[in-house]
Amino acid sequence: MNWLLVVAGAVFGAPARYLTDRWVQARHDSVFPWGTFAVNVAGSFVLGVVTGSGEIPAKVQLLVGTGFCGALTTYSTFSFETLRLAEDGAGFYAVANVVGSIAAGLGAAFSGAAVASALWS
């Protein structure tokens, strides 16, 4: 029955990704994929919170961590958009997307884990 928790989380994560991506991207007149960047950083933070304390029940981790965050974040779109930037001659933006996404994603995950640790310790 754990898979139902993953599906339930994904039911909310997938539309949240789409709507957030469109909302963020509509506010930026840039070739940089700010929408994907935003959902990936946000998802990394949430996953850091969910996994960082050691106090969150496994079922909540499945629902929020695997289901919601798994559907919210997107490595495939990040990869595609980076490739598209490089192919379109926007090499600087492609490199900035890779470096920025990795740095911000890891920073968000560590920050989320620190917040969770502070809240539940």
Side-chain angles (χ1 to χ4, degrees), residues 1-12 58-64 66-68:
M1 297 310 270
N2 288 341
W3 66 273
L4 286 174
L5 292 169
V6 175
V7 170
V11 163
F12 293 98
K59 293 199 182 295
V60 174
Q61 290 184 19
L62 284 171
L63 176 73
V64 178
T66 305
F68 180 78

Side-chain angles (χ1 to χ4, degrees), residues 6-115:
V6 175
V7 170
V11 163
F12 293 98
R17 179 180 86 74
Y18 175 77
L19 294 171
T20 302
D21 177 61
R22 296 295 91 206
W23 184 80
V24 170
Q25 203 61 39
R27 282 150 182 74
H28 294 279
D29 186 25
S30 170
V31 297
F32 190 83
W34 287 110
T36 301
F37 182 86
V39 296
N40 285 342
V41 172
S44 295
F45 179 81
V46 171
L47 190 58
V49 170
V50 170
T51 61
S53 75
E55 301 292 325
I56 304 290
K59 293 199 182 295
V60 174
Q61 290 184 19
L62 284 171
L63 176 73
V64 178
T66 305
F68 180 78
C69 290
L72 176 68
T73 61
T74 172
Y75 188 76
S76 58
T77 302
F78 157 75
S79 299
F80 170 75
E81 290 172 342
T82 302
L83 177 64
R84 190 191 72 224
L85 288 168
E87 288 176 344
D88 290 348
F92 173 79
Y93 287 113
V95 171
N97 191 35
V98 171
V99 173
S101 292
I102 291 170
L106 286 172
F110 279 107
S111 296
V115 166

